[in-house]
Amino acid sequence: MPRIFSGIQPSGDLHIGNYLGAVKNWVTLQDQFESIICIVDLHAITQPYQPGELPQRTLDMATGLLAAGINPDKTILFVQSQVPQHAELQWLLNTVTPLGELERMTQFKDKSSRQESIPAGLLNYPILQAADILLYKADRVPVGEDQVQHLELAREIARRFNARFGVECFPEPKPMLTAAARIVGLDGQAKMSKSLGNTIGLLDSPDVIWGKLRPAMTDPARTTKKDPGNPDVCNIYSLHQYFSTGEQVSMVAEKCRTAGWGCLDCKRVLADNMIAALAPIRERAEALKQHPEEVRAVLARGAERCRALAEETLGEVRRIMGFLPPGP
Ligand code: SF4
């Protein structure tokens, strides 16, 4: 089977933006591809963070992924820092990556503009991403729009390495664009993101889900129940499309346009559907949280398998680059 590689930050519990935008797709793809999913803690440390919180955030992310349907018998799930070959390959690829390409990355410009002191790791972040993918010679990489530029750079790095050493070592990984790539947050403004506080957690309780949906942004034209609205500008309507039936989605649009109901009625239907859809995931996560040692065992097995795969590639790369092998 062709191989796919995906990464996700250890941001703790998953939210519905991660789930609909990426994880749900990975669950489907694991039946069609040899799947590798990496919790990218080495990437996470390029932003300000609390070291004391990182282990739990990493474990919570693994728990959420397994609860959401990632099956460790089909997917290799592991933590990036437990496979040191990622960092080694990144260093080697540093030497064929042009500085100008890194400086023009949109994410680097965005993130560096928000930090007083810019760590070199933030600039080199896309090289580590390239190393993640190329280490496993992945054929395809499921990505959202915001990662296409980084993947293009990974392809460029693969081409440059092959050309510099006159080999066909790295295949160029191809993007696999995710249909629901951008889930907007409850503020109705920006992409759903934990750092913006505009998320619904995948494991939130029914009360918490309702507590977050109630005040969520809707069509600002609906200042009273009597004002007709436009569902096309309302994020609640977008969310209905992921959680409600086709019939309900049509009803929502009609009642919105004709002021046939209030926004709270509309949100209540969404909340009920969302709570029902997420209940099995929440139950699985609660069961897994009772046995964190099982989650850690999955990660340990995943890291062991990845170290073996990664070492094969890295052995080849070391030979190509001319390093003296250890031993007498
Ligand atoms: S009725 Fe529903 S779709 Fe229309 S503005 Fe209110 S929340 Fe949005």
Side-chain angles (χ1 to χ4, degrees):
M1 281 201 281
R3 185 178 282 170
I4 56 173
F5 179 93
S6 304
I8 190 161
Q9 293 265 350
S11 53
D13 288 336
L14 285 164
H15 55 70
I16 60 169
N18 308 128
Y19 179 64
L20 298 172
V23 178
K24 203 170 170 215
N25 189 35
W26 298 345
V27 173
T28 308
L29 293 174
Q30 67 185 348
D31 289 323
Q32 303 152 27
F33 292 88
E34 183 189 352
S35 297
I36 302 179
I37 297 180
C38 177
I39 301 178
V40 292
D41 53 352
L42 296 178
H43 285 279
I45 60 170
T46 58
Q47 293 285 296
Y49 77 106
Q50 294 298 331
E53 293 172 5
L54 188 56
Q56 193 60 49
R57 277 173 35 197
T58 306
L59 193 59
D60 286 346
M61 177 51 71
T63 304
L65 289 169
L66 294 171
I70 296 301
N71 179 344
D73 293 330
K74 296 178 180 172
T75 292
I76 307 180
L77 176 66
F78 75 106
V79 177
Q80 192 180 28
S81 63
Q82 295 178 5
V83 181
Q85 288 88 347
H86 286 251
E88 185 178 345
L89 184 59
Q90 185 209 5
W91 176 254
L92 302 179
L93 296 179
N94 257 316
T95 61
V96 295
T97 306
L99 182 62
E101 293 285 329
L102 296 171
E103 285 171 334
R104 71 178 187 84
M105 291 291 117
T106 310
Q107 274 197 15
F108 170 69
K109 288 190 212 160
D110 274 4
K111 288 183 179 171
S112 59
S113 68
R114 283 185 257 128
Q115 292 194 29
E116 259 176 43
S117 158
I118 303 164
L122 196 58
L123 181 71
N124 291 337
Y125 185 110
I127 311 179
L128 181 57
Q129 254 183 344
D132 297 339
I133 300 163
L134 299 179
L135 202 47
Y136 303 102
K137 301 191 176 184
D139 304 287
R140 309 289 289 267
V141 183
V143 282
E145 290 282 357
D146 55 348
Q147 287 300 321
V148 169
Q149 195 186 29
H150 282 183
L151 185 60
E152 190 42 58
L153 181 57
R155 289 161 58 83
E156 170 75 17
I157 291 172
R159 279 195 294 273
R160 280 179 180 255
F161 182 92
N162 291 344
R164 162 70 183 83
F165 297 101
V167 291
E168 284 302 318
C169 177
F170 293 122
E172 286 182 37
K174 294 176 199 63
M176 238 177 149
L177 271 178
T178 313
R182 193 171 185 273
I183 305 297
V184 173
L186 297 178
D187 52 8
Q189 306 288 321
K191 185 175 169 179
M192 192 173 277
S193 153
K194 207 160 189 176
S195 59
L196 298 175
N198 62 1
T199 63
I200 291 185
L202 205 57
L203 311 181
D204 281 350
S205 69
D207 285 350
V208 171
I209 291 177
W210 179 236
K212 287 180 177 177
L213 277 179
R214 259 180 79 101
M217 186 68 180
T218 62
D219 176 1
R222 292 210 74 190
T223 46
T224 73
K225 207 169 170 173
K226 289 184 191 145
D227 299 318
N230 177 4
D232 296 332
V233 300
C234 177
N235 190 38
I236 297 296
Y237 180 65
S238 308
L239 291 173
H240 267 291
Q241 296 176 38
Y242 294 105
F243 292 99
S244 303
T245 63
E247 209 173 301
Q248 283 174 321
V249 171
S250 308
M251 177 196 74
V252 168
E254 203 257 319
K255 282 185 180 269
C256 179
R257 289 200 173 94
T258 58
W261 66 357
C263 289
L264 270 186
D265 306 314
C266 181
K267 289 172 173 176
R268 188 67 253 180
V269 173
L270 174 63
D272 290 344
N273 292 342
M274 198 181 273
I275 289 164
L278 301 184
I281 298 177
R282 198 168 54 248
E283 280 163 24
R284 281 196 294 273
E286 275 163 17
L288 285 167
K289 284 186 178 187
Q290 301 300 312
H291 296 284
E293 70 286 356
E294 287 178 13
V295 179
R296 294 185 70 138
V298 166
L299 295 174
R301 276 200 306 280
E304 196 182 343
R305 290 175 68 191
C306 281
R307 280 193 295 269
L309 292 171
E311 195 47 36
E312 262 177 49
T313 304
L314 212 43
E316 187 186 350
V317 170
R318 290 188 201 108
R319 273 194 304 282
I320 290 169
M321 294 183 79
F323 295 114
L324 178 70

